[in-house]
Amino acid sequence: MLQLSTATRYYWYSQAVDMRKGFDALCGMVNEHMKQSVLQGGVYIFCNRRHNQIKLLHWEGDGLAIYYKRLEKGTYELPAFTESSSHGIIAASQLQLILQGIVLSSVRHKPRFSFIKEAV
């Protein structure tokens, strides 16, 4: 079952992906293009060229799970990333808005405290 948690990291692959790809091909893309391992527990997000299909790949501790959604009407909004990067990290709340079809630029956030631990 898919649960979006703020404790989980969400990695969005910025290139269009063939939605016929399964577990092994998507894991290969994560390893080769994103330089990550699916075993580290993040959720890896892939979208097709027309932006109407999305797949989320996640290691659940005992196996891989794929969440796959195809829109009958409309498209998903893609988060903005630099062109030089093959992927980017998004927040759980941002992914939830994308899945619900909300335009990200129309969302206003009130200021909140954020404790970001810097790497030493």
Side-chain angles (χ1 to χ4, degrees):
M1 180 173 193
L2 179 68
Q3 293 182 0
L4 301 181
S5 166
T6 57
T8 304
R9 296 199 105 183
Y10 298 90
Y11 301 92
W12 189 288
Y13 184 68
S14 61
Q15 306 298 317
V17 174
D18 181 354
M19 287 292 122
R20 295 175 291 182
K21 291 187 183 294
F23 293 100
D24 295 329
L26 292 174
C27 284
M29 293 180 70
V30 169
N31 290 333
E32 183 178 338
H33 299 288
M34 300 172 81
K35 307 294 187 221
Q36 301 280 333
S37 171
V38 294
L39 301 178
Q40 70 186 18
V43 174
Y44 299 89
I45 308 158
F46 305 92
C47 196
N48 68 337
R49 183 181 53 231
R50 294 188 303 174
H51 306 156
N52 67 342
Q53 297 177 31
I54 195 167
K55 279 190 177 182
L56 284 70
L57 178 68
H58 178 61
W59 175 257
E60 293 188 337
D62 60 350
L64 286 168
I66 289 181
Y67 173 79
Y68 181 29
K69 185 173 180 180
R70 181 188 73 195
L71 296 176
E72 296 300 320
K73 182 179 178 182
T75 59
Y76 292 108
E77 180 179 354
L78 304 182
F81 298 116
T82 61
E83 291 183 23
S84 62
S85 177
S86 66
H87 70 284
I89 298 174
I90 64 171
S93 58
Q94 195 175 12
L95 177 57
Q96 186 69 41
L97 294 173
I98 291 169
L99 292 174
Q100 292 176 351
I102 297 171
V103 178
L104 297 177
S105 62
S106 68
V107 176
R108 291 187 358 214
H109 293 278
K110 299 250 183 197
R112 296 285 189 254
F113 175 78
S114 175
F115 178 76
I116 300 174
K117 195 173 191 179
E118 294 186 25
V120 179

